[in-house]
Amino acid sequence: MQRYFIASKQFGDNRVTITDDDAHHLTRVMRAEIGDKCICTDGLDREALVKIVAIEKGIVEAEIIERLPMTAEPAVNVWIAQSLPKGDKLELVIQKGTEIGAVGFIPFVSERTVVQYDAKKEAKRVERWGKIAKEAAEQAHRNRIPAIDSVRSFKQLLSLVSEFDAAWICYEQEEGTTFRSLVRESLKNKAAKLLIIVGPEGGFTTGEVEAATAAGVKSVSLGRRILRTETAAMVGLTCILYESGEMGDSFE
Amino acid sequence: MQRYFIASKQFGDNRVTITDDDAHHLTRVMRAEIGDKCICTDGLDREALVKIVAIEKGIVEAEIIERLPMTAEPAVNVWIAQSLPKGDKLELVIQKGTEIGAVGFIPFVSERTVVQYDAKKEAKRVERWGKIAKEAAEQAHRNRIPAIDSVRSFKQLLSLVSEFDAAWICYEQEEGTTFRSLVRESLKNKAAKLLIIVGPEGGFTTGEVEAATAAGVKSVSLGRRILRTETAAMVGLTCILYESGEMGDSFE
């Protein structure tokens, strides 16, 4: 069934109001009519099955038929910090990361970042990334839209590391530390907020890896096959959620 | 270092010959000159570090400096059977699946496959898919190019299931069977050739899932978040290889 994230103020005790793009999608793309049902959530603590009772001037009114439990969010919160990749690869990372179960994304600029970072264009890009996250969250039946942080410098990113229970930087030259052992150890120690840091196409410099290590980040390899930058985050995220029992392990 | 898959006949005892697209890439894109090095592999049992000794008429001759061990292939062989998705999504599945470590792909047509299957265009598409697999394998430092099977019917696909130690069909309505338990059980039983079957955008019909089950395929869910068709294969593959210790577990 079609799902929409709506603002908290649109979520009443007995009714919800669906507006703007969502109302357009519901009435024009899905051709919904009075009496049809969909699911609405405020992405915080309310989710409900609703039935359309009025469609007027691009606004849909629907009554709440049944409150629904919010059970599609992973118990472990994984954030992805991705050095701005070329082209529309960050969109792929956000879309796939949202489907798989990331709770937030931190785009950042590092030494070998090739794309020109343009502060003027940032608002528009963050808006677009947010839209992709919203649509992917709706499609994946998530209860929450992942957060998209503003674009950070590598130094700013490292200053955020202390907010996480564990942080890992993907480094293809790492040969000592094993990713799986670290994931298992962290989950065993009840780590609930994790960060995966992925570099740009050209990878991180030795200096960056050293700075990250000094900030408490563990350098890890994701195996003997070299993953493209946009693939590394999806793979790391999948491994962590699989280990925590989120990829088809139980349905309690 | 740049890597190229070359035909066995181009791989001599002391020398290799690099031709066609690879020679063009090496000399024009990478601007390699005499004395420069690269890695060549025949994708079967030979891989070597080579040094360019001659470049003439688009053909590169290089002498073998050192034979290299072929250690980047996973011990567990995972095949992905993907119902033809819309647009260029199969290209994404092949590219990412190759990076992650799939050994082969079987495209197939099922009841809800939307794209028109055109036998006339098949040769061209299979050629394009093969090129994507080759480039992704080179980039990921794999020793072997994954196989791309010809497009099958769902019935033909099910007739291949007996060649695998275990086969799983992704079914979002499955609530009983847990994917992780099945993966663990199979690997414990030394399963070495595994198949993941993924449906088209609209999913499988109940009849198809029943037919698959009758053919020995286990129906599985990949978790509470609904994955897009092109995401399911990557995630399932990652989970299996992670469980088998291939995603950053050991470097022996």
Side-chain angles (χ1 to χ4, degrees), chain A residues 24-57:
Chain A
H24 181 266
H25 185 269
L26 184 57
T27 57
R28 300 300 170 92
V29 183
M30 304 302 293
R31 294 167 190 266
E33 295 175 357
I34 289 171
D36 285 349
K37 293 171 191 166
C38 67
I39 292 169
C40 286
T41 174
D42 69 355
L44 294 169
D45 52 9
R46 288 177 294 180
E47 185 161 319
L49 177 67
V50 303
K51 189 169 82 177
I52 300 173
V53 293
I55 302 174
E56 206 171 329
K57 289 180 185 165

Side-chain angles (χ1 to χ4, degrees), chain A residues 7-251:
Chain A
S8 285
K9 63 178 181 191
Q10 291 167 233
F11 210 115
D13 288 336
N14 306 307
R15 278 193 170 207
V16 301
T17 308
I18 304 166
T19 61
D20 301 317
D21 285 357
D22 295 332
H24 181 266
H25 185 269
L26 184 57
T27 57
R28 300 300 170 92
V29 183
M30 304 302 293
R31 294 167 190 266
E33 295 175 357
I34 289 171
D36 285 349
K37 293 171 191 166
C38 67
I39 292 169
C40 286
T41 174
D42 69 355
L44 294 169
D45 52 9
R46 288 177 294 180
E47 185 161 319
L49 177 67
V50 303
K51 189 169 82 177
I52 300 173
V53 293
I55 302 174
E56 206 171 329
K57 289 180 185 165
I59 293 172
V60 176
E61 291 287 334
E63 66 177 29
I64 292 172
I65 298 174
E66 188 189 350
R67 291 277 184 155
L68 300 173
M70 297 172 80
T71 54
E73 289 302 307
V76 175
N77 287 347
V78 183
W79 285 70
I80 293 172
Q82 175 87 46
S83 178
L84 287 172
K86 290 186 204 167
D88 54 5
K89 285 183 195 165
L90 188 60
E91 300 183 6
L92 184 74
V93 170
I94 291 173
Q95 186 189 70
K96 299 301 163 222
T98 299
E99 287 174 56
I100 297 166
V103 303
F105 300 88
I106 309 171
F108 68 95
V109 174
S110 58
E111 276 184 56
R112 293 188 185 142
T113 300
V114 177
V115 282
Q116 290 288 325
Y117 169 64
D118 184 341
K120 283 185 201 159
K121 288 186 188 160
E122 189 188 339
K124 208 155 196 176
R125 294 175 77 194
V126 170
E127 190 190 321
R128 170 144 182 79
W129 294 333
K131 204 177 165 202
I132 288 167
K134 178 176 181 284
E135 286 172 0
E138 286 171 349
Q139 186 274 334
H141 296 198
R142 290 191 58 172
N143 307 119
R144 186 171 154 178
I145 306 170
I148 314 277
D149 203 359
S150 50
V151 179
R152 307 279 186 165
S153 68
F154 189 65
K155 201 175 162 187
Q156 286 172 329
L157 172 66
L158 292 188
S159 74
L160 299 175
V161 164
S162 59
E163 296 174 17
F164 293 85
D165 297 326
W168 299 303
I169 187 166
C170 299
Y171 188 47
E172 75 285 358
Q173 289 174 50
E174 176 59 48
E175 296 205 344
T177 310
T178 70
F179 181 60
R180 190 165 75 167
S181 316
L182 286 176
V183 171
R184 289 190 171 167
E185 190 191 328
S186 299
L187 294 178
K188 210 174 151 190
N189 293 331
K190 309 282 178 207
K193 197 177 172 192
L194 304 168
L195 178 67
I196 309 171
I197 304 174
V198 179
E201 284 80 0
F204 288 111
T205 63
T206 318
E208 285 174 328
V209 175
E210 283 168 5
T213 308
V217 179
K218 292 251 169 76
S219 162
V220 295
S221 155
L222 292 176
R224 288 164 296 183
R225 289 165 296 283
I226 307 299
L227 301 174
R228 282 185 167 90
T229 175
E230 75 275 16
T231 317
M234 303 185 232
V235 165
L237 172 66
T238 300
C239 294
I240 295 169
L241 292 183
Y242 175 84
E243 186 66 51
S244 75
E246 288 283 346
M247 305 313 288
D249 182 49
S250 54
F251 295 88

Side-chain angles (χ1 to χ4, degrees), chain A residues 179 224 242-243 246 248, chain B residues 179 224 230 242-243 246 248:
Chain A
F179 181 60
R224 288 164 296 183
Y242 175 84
E243 186 66 51
E246 288 283 346
Chain B
F179 181 59
R224 287 164 297 181
E230 73 277 16
Y242 175 83
E243 186 67 50
E246 288 283 346

